[in-house]
Amino acid sequence: TYRNFLREKFGYDAWSEKILPAMHRIVVSSLKCVQEAFAKPPSSRCCFQLFGYDFFVDADLNVWLLEVNDIPSLHPTGPVQENLMNSCLRDVLSIVLDDHQLRKPGPLRFEPLYHGKPFPRLVQPSDLFKLAVFGKATRRPCSTTAVVVPDLKEVQLAFEAKREQYLKSLAEKRRLAQQREQAEKERKAQLRLSLARRLWGTASTPCLQDAFGDCTRCEESPAPEGS
């Protein structure tokens, strides 16, 4: 163990005579520095609290405080820590719950290091004023307006009628567009025919091809002599 290692290296029980007393002094001094904070909520509502202290021991057996964990991890990562943490939890609960005069020391042999003055209980606002609420519970008034739920069949019929009306309107627009297209086509054909008659005379009108690819048939007659 670490204690035997120190005894063999330094020739005396350095753990009991130097290292452990230094750790005790550091624990007591650090807790006395923050004892006022323990009197304030939420720490004041705790009946006990477990801290985790991390120390460093140098080559000259000087003890240095590394950190203090107010919520130490109790999850073991190996068999040594598992035995240590299980014993720690059993001893802590025994100190809190069992009678101090009848309690037997646990495997870790916790011992009291310091008896400080008891913390005065802070006066809470609830201790000064007894607040109460009087009255009756209120409920949300029910609505007198009847909610009309539409019939699904009627909604479907209305939708189909609207759809049919839309399709008819679309077909009518397409028919009118085709009529306008046909009228424009005939108008252009008449213009070309009229232009051809003016150019060639009324006696002979050639067959012309209009812009839409339709052949305009004209009255065929022999061309005038000398033309």
Side-chain angles (χ1 to χ4, degrees), residues 25-37:
R25 290 193 299 270
I26 293 174
V27 170
V28 174
S29 300
S30 61
L31 292 178
K32 292 172 74 173
C33 291
V34 294
Q35 61 181 353
E36 294 182 358

Side-chain angles (χ1 to χ4, degrees), residues 181-198:
E181 184 180 351
Q182 183 64 25
E184 182 67 16
K185 185 177 179 181
E186 294 178 355
R187 185 183 67 83
K188 289 182 178 181
Q190 292 294 335
L191 289 176
R192 288 181 176 275
L193 181 59
S194 176
L195 180 60
R197 287 178 176 175
R198 290 182 181 180

Side-chain angles (χ1 to χ4, degrees), residues 5-22:
F5 169 77
L6 294 176
R7 187 190 300 271
E8 294 176 359
K9 184 175 181 179
F10 294 95
Y12 71 101
D13 191 2
W15 171 260
S16 300
E17 297 181 16
K18 187 172 184 179
I19 296 178
L20 188 59

Side-chain angles (χ1 to χ4, degrees), residues 9 15 35 56 63 133 143 150 155 166 171 195 198 205-206 214 226:
K9 184 175 181 179
W15 171 260
Q35 61 181 353
F56 174 78
V63 180
V133 178
S143 178
V155 174
Y166 174 75
L195 180 60
R198 290 182 181 180
T205 55
D214 295 334

Side-chain angles (χ1 to χ4, degrees), residues 95-114:
I95 293 173
V96 175
L97 301 178
D98 296 342
D99 189 353
H100 289 204
Q101 297 179 356
L102 301 178
R103 188 181 70 85
K104 297 180 180 180
L108 299 184
R109 299 185 179 276
F110 282 111
E111 57 179 325
L113 301 179
Y114 177 77

Side-chain angles (χ1 to χ4, degrees), residues 159-173:
F159 175 76
E160 292 179 356
K162 188 174 182 180
R163 179 174 177 272
E164 184 178 358
Q165 182 179 3
Y166 174 75
L167 293 177
K168 289 182 178 180
S169 175
L170 187 62
E172 181 66 18
K173 290 180 180 180

